[in-house]
């Protein structure tokens, strides 16, 4: 919820609003979501825990909440995942809303089994080295604690070779 809030509103502080919107959407469209629970009572328990937490702690969002956010807010959500699947393209998931309401898109990385991070695409650059620098400055949002930090990419093999080579005159 923090990662989606960051992508949609530019700040994690609206994560509660995103959570409430997802739960409300799932309640209103129970026929589309309750089939993922064995019993109807299990679906109500799931919604209550998603809304209020479990044992006083917030519950992380999941694939159902992503679908709900996508449809409720009318935004496309892209997910790059570390989870292995049966096909070569299972590392990329795209959630397209039933009705597009905004041009904003959400970009998430999913580290299996339960952790989502927001990421930003690096701006287009003219040279390879400037693309590496731009990519290394992408913002990472930790969905657990909501921390935001800058992370530098490790130098490429070519950059290491170039740095070690003595100059000829």
């Amino acid at each position: 919820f923090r990662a989606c809030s960051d992508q949609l509103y530019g700040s994690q502080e609206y994560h509660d609003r995103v959570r409430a919107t997802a739960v409300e959407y799932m309640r209103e469209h129970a026929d589309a979501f309750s089939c993922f629970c064995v019993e109807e009572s299990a679906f109500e328990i799931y919604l209550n825990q998603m809304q209020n937490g479990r044992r006083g702690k917030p519950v992380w969002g999941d694939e159902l909440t992503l679908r709900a956010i996508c449809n409720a807010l009318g935004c496309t959500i892209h997910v790059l995942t570390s989870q292995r699947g049966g096909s070569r393209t299972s590392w990329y998931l795209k959630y397209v809303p039933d009705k597009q309401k905004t041009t904003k898109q959400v970009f998430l990385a999913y580290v299996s089994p339960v952790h989502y991070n927001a990421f930003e695409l690096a701006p287009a650059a003219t040279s390879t080295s400037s693309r590496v620098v731009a990519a290394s400055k992408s913002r990472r949002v930790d969905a657990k604690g909501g921390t935001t930090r800058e992370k530098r990419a490790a130098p490429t093999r070519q950059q290491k070779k170039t740095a070690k080579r003595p100059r000829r005159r």
Side-chain angles (χ1 to χ4, degrees), residues 75-138:
C75 62
T76 301
I77 299 177
H78 304 268
V79 181
L80 299 177
T81 178
S82 68
Q83 190 170 359
R84 289 187 166 188
S87 74
R88 296 178 119 185
T89 58
S90 61
W91 56 272
Y92 172 69
L93 305 171
K94 184 176 180 180
Y95 299 88
V96 179
D98 294 335
K99 184 177 180 183
Q100 196 79 38
K101 298 177 185 175
T102 180
T103 58
K104 288 186 178 182
Q105 297 188 47
V106 174
F107 295 90
L108 302 174
Y110 175 68
V111 180
S112 184
V114 292
H115 189 71
Y116 288 93
N117 287 317
F119 69 92
E120 296 174 357
L121 298 176
T126 56
S127 71
T128 305
S129 61
S130 56
R131 270 184 287 203
V132 170
V133 171
S136 71
K137 291 184 179 178
S138 64

Side-chain angles (χ1 to χ4, degrees), residues 9 21 40 45 51 59 69 77 86 88 109 112 122 148 150 158 160 163 167:
Y9 306 112
T21 300
E40 194 171 318
I45 291 168
Q51 183 174 355
V59 176
I69 292 166
I77 299 177
R88 296 178 119 185
S112 184
T148 303
E150 296 290 324
Q158 183 61 37
K160 286 179 184 176
R167 286 183 156 174

Side-chain angles (χ1 to χ4, degrees), residues 4-163:
C4 286
S5 174
D6 181 72
Q7 293 279 297
L8 293 168
Y9 306 112
S11 171
Q12 297 174 45
E13 71 182 80
Y14 302 105
H15 66 94
D16 287 335
R17 182 185 300 171
V18 174
R19 179 186 293 271
T21 300
V23 172
E24 181 181 334
Y25 185 87
M26 287 189 289
R27 280 192 201 286
E28 290 173 0
H29 298 87
D31 54 324
F33 291 93
S34 63
C35 61
F36 293 98
C37 294
V38 177
E39 298 174 16
E40 194 171 318
S41 61
F43 181 63
E44 194 56 40
I45 291 168
Y46 166 81
L47 290 176
N48 286 335
Q49 287 180 347
M50 196 55 68
Q51 183 174 355
N52 303 317
R54 184 175 27 230
R55 294 184 210 106
K57 295 182 180 179
V59 176
W60 289 338
D62 56 18
E63 196 167 0
L64 291 179
T65 57
L66 276 181
R67 172 49 68 189
I69 292 166
C70 170
N71 280 334
L73 300 176
C75 62
T76 301
I77 299 177
H78 304 268
V79 181
L80 299 177
T81 178
S82 68
Q83 190 170 359
R84 289 187 166 188
S87 74
R88 296 178 119 185
T89 58
S90 61
W91 56 272
Y92 172 69
L93 305 171
K94 184 176 180 180
Y95 299 88
V96 179
D98 294 335
K99 184 177 180 183
Q100 196 79 38
K101 298 177 185 175
T102 180
T103 58
K104 288 186 178 182
Q105 297 188 47
V106 174
F107 295 90
L108 302 174
Y110 175 68
V111 180
S112 184
V114 292
H115 189 71
Y116 288 93
N117 287 317
F119 69 92
E120 296 174 357
L121 298 176
T126 56
S127 71
T128 305
S129 61
S130 56
R131 270 184 287 203
V132 170
V133 171
S136 71
K137 291 184 179 178
S138 64
R139 188 167 51 182
R140 180 172 181 242
V141 177
D142 185 342
K144 281 186 192 176
T147 58
T148 303
R149 56 191 150 174
E150 296 290 324
K151 188 174 181 180
R152 288 217 165 258
T156 64
R157 193 177 302 169
Q158 183 61 37
Q159 288 171 329
K160 286 179 184 176
K161 272 185 178 178
T162 308

